[in-house]
Amino acid sequence: GHIAALGRGGSDLTASAIGAAIGAREVQVWKDVNGILSTDPRVCPKAVPVPEITYGEAAEMSYFGAKVLHPVAMHPAMMRSVPVRVKNSYNPAHPGTVITHERVVDVERPVTAISIKRGVELVKIMSTRMLGSYGFLAQVFATFAKHKVSIDVIATSEVSVALTLDSNVFESELGGVIREELASCAGIEVRERMSIVSVLTSATSSTRIMAEAMAALDDAGVDLAMVSHGASKINMSLVVADAAGDATVRALHVRFFECEC
C-alpha cells in the first residue's frame, strides 16, 4: 500500500515489466533521439544511430556513460527475451534501435558504440609483501566491500592492482580510512580527474578491434593510463585523463565509424 517513486527510467521499467508479463512482440521506449547512438553527439557530431544492440552491450553503455536507458529498466524484458526498441517521438518514422539477446556482427563495422564516463579516480595499489605471498587481492577487495565502495574497472597482477572508483572517494574521510586499513600490506597512489572510455562490441575476436583502437590513439597522441578487457569481451575499457577524454572518443569514432578505408 506504499507509494514509491521509481526514479530515473521508471516509465521504461514499467513498459518493460508489462511487456514481459503479457509476452509482447516487442517493447517500445520513446525518447528524443533516433535510438541509441554510436557515441555522444556533443563530442562527435557524426554520431550515427545503432540499428541493433544486445542487452549486454546496452547495459555496459548505460553504466559507462550513456543515458538513453537504465540497465534495470531492460531487465524484465531481457528475462523473457522480449526485444526492446528505442524510438524517437519527434521522428516516429525512424526505425530506432532494437535491443535483443543476440545480433549478427557486421565484420566491416565490428564496434557497436563508444561511451565515456568522466570524473573517476584511478587507484593503483601495490603490495608491500614478498613476491608470492597470498591474500593480497583478497584483503584489497574485502576492504572495499566492507565500506560499500563500488569498483568500475580493474586490472590485476600478482603484486599490484589498478582500479577506478567514482570521484572523491579518496578525497573524502573514507579514503583515509581505506588507506589506513591497507597500510599493512600495500602502498596506494591515486590519480584524480580521469575518464573511462568504453569500446562496445559483440565480435567473437577482439584482437583486431584492440589493435585498431591502439593505432588510432597512438596517431592522436593519446596516453593511456590503464586498459581493461572484460571476460565477456563486450567491453574494452580505456582509462585516460579527463582532459583527453573527448579526443579519445573522437579518435576511436573516426577509426570505427567514419573511416571508409
Side-chain angles (χ1 to χ4, degrees), residues 37-259:
L37 301 182
S38 54
T39 196
D40 188 341
R42 295 169 296 182
V43 178
C44 293
K46 293 186 178 180
V48 295
V50 178
E52 193 174 11
I53 191 171
T54 67
Y55 289 113
E57 290 171 323
E60 294 274 357
M61 281 191 71
S62 179
Y63 185 79
F64 288 104
K67 301 299 182 185
V68 175
L69 278 177
H70 194 285
V72 174
M74 296 181 290
H75 188 72
M78 179 183 70
M79 295 303 294
R80 293 295 183 92
S81 297
V82 176
V84 176
R85 186 181 296 272
V86 182
K87 288 179 66 69
N88 188 351
S89 57
Y90 296 102
N91 185 15
H94 194 282
T97 301
V98 178
I99 308 173
T100 60
H101 273 295
E102 296 180 345
R103 67 181 182 86
V104 177
V105 178
D106 184 348
V107 294
E108 298 300 320
R109 292 286 175 86
V111 171
T112 306
I114 301 162
S115 63
I116 181 169
K117 182 177 182 179
R118 309 175 195 274
V120 302
E121 293 178 333
L122 174 60
V123 182
K124 295 182 179 180
I125 304 172
M126 294 141 292
S127 174
T128 55
R129 295 174 176 173
M130 294 177 58
L131 185 66
S133 297
Y134 65 88
F136 165 64
L137 291 178
Q139 185 169 350
V140 169
F141 295 133
T143 300
F144 283 109
K146 173 184 175 182
H147 297 288
K148 297 180 173 60
V149 176
S150 178
I151 296 171
D152 290 328
V153 175
I154 187 167
T156 65
S157 71
E158 185 178 5
V159 295
S160 66
V161 56
L163 50 87
T164 61
L165 309 172
D166 285 339
S167 61
N168 302 322
V169 171
F170 272 85
E171 287 185 346
S172 66
E173 182 179 345
L174 176 58
V177 173
I178 293 174
R179 284 182 186 273
E180 184 176 345
E181 292 187 7
L182 291 177
S184 63
C185 71
I188 298 177
E189 294 180 2
V190 179
R191 290 182 63 181
E192 299 169 353
R193 294 180 291 277
M194 306 296 286
S195 290
I196 304 169
V197 177
S198 296
V199 179
L200 286 304
T201 178
S202 283
T204 54
S205 176
S206 56
T207 304
R208 171 195 162 195
I209 296 171
M210 185 170 289
E212 290 195 27
M214 296 302 107
L217 298 184
D218 184 52
D219 291 344
V222 173
D223 290 326
L224 294 175
M226 175 180 161
V227 177
S228 178
H229 195 188
S232 67
K233 293 190 175 182
I234 291 175
N235 181 3
M236 180 175 69
S237 294
L238 312 170
V239 181
V240 299
D242 270 346
D246 286 357
T248 302
V249 172
R250 283 192 288 265
L252 293 171
H253 197 271
V254 167
R255 178 61 62 101
F256 292 114
F257 292 95
E258 302 173 36
C259 181

